[in-house]
Amino acid sequence: MPDRRQPDSPTDDNPFAAPPEGRPDQPWQPRTGGDGDGDGRKDSDGGRGPARWDPTDPIQRRARYALLAGMWGFFFGIFGIPSVGLLLGALALYWGITALRGKPAPATADGAPAAPAGLDALGPAARPQRTAAVSGLVTASLAILLAFSSYALQLAYKDFYVCRDDALTKSAELQCNTLLPDNLVGDVLKVRQ
């Protein structure tokens, strides 16, 4: 089998290799991106880009919470648990609105404007957080709409449901169909023989 060793080149950048002969050992340092900026990430204007997700920032947390709560509220609304869907939808609505509003920090004592806070402090990296907050608002609105329509349906057809639950025989249960209007919802809810 031929020897597959690569020839040593001056551009060899193996961090685990021994230092060349005659050069002393150096302590480990993180690699630089070519211009000495640490991890080398840059945003569009040439400076270092901010972190995309900061779990200590309450504005970013609320944007994520809005998305998750709205999504789960929508699922609970679809699967017939409107009370939990309404609760999660209301929470997602609150979290989404507060994440989008993102009040900036107050001005400093010397009158200088404070650094931007919330989603504005992230600059171009705020786009995913803003998208999460808006998506949370949309799914929260759908969850609340599903919950209210479920409650409205129960109120509109309350007489039918009470009659059907109180019926002791199949023929008494069939008599409850007279309480339903002649429309699509009434046809769906009719007791079948």
Side-chain angles (χ1 to χ4, degrees), residues 2-26:
D3 188 13
R4 294 184 183 220
R5 287 186 15 193
Q6 299 284 328
D8 292 335
S9 65
T11 60
D12 190 19
D13 196 18
N14 184 356
F16 302 108
E21 288 185 32
R23 199 163 119 195
D25 286 340
Q26 294 179 344

Side-chain angles (χ1 to χ4, degrees), residues 9-101:
S9 65
T11 60
D12 190 19
D13 196 18
N14 184 356
F16 302 108
E21 288 185 32
R23 199 163 119 195
D25 286 340
Q26 294 179 344
W28 180 86
Q29 294 177 352
R31 290 188 185 191
T32 61
D35 56 358
D37 68 346
D39 61 0
R41 287 184 296 159
K42 292 188 173 210
D43 58 8
S44 59
D45 62 355
R48 272 194 73 191
R52 284 184 138 347
W53 166 242
D54 180 15
T56 60
D57 186 6
I59 303 297
Q60 292 184 43
R61 273 198 321 259
R62 286 181 179 168
R64 298 288 173 103
Y65 289 166
L67 177 62
L68 290 172
M71 181 177 58
W72 280 105
F74 179 71
F75 288 145
F76 278 112
I78 285 179
F79 293 128
I81 309 174
S83 56
V84 177
L86 183 63
L87 172 69
L88 288 174
L91 281 172
L93 206 61
Y94 168 73
W95 283 327
I97 290 171
T98 56
L100 287 175
R101 288 180 72 192

Side-chain angles (χ1 to χ4, degrees), residues 178-193:
T178 59
L179 298 173
L180 291 172
D182 291 330
N183 60 20
L184 179 63
V185 177
D187 292 338
V188 170
L189 292 177
K190 276 187 183 174
V191 178
R192 305 284 180 221
Q193 290 184 353

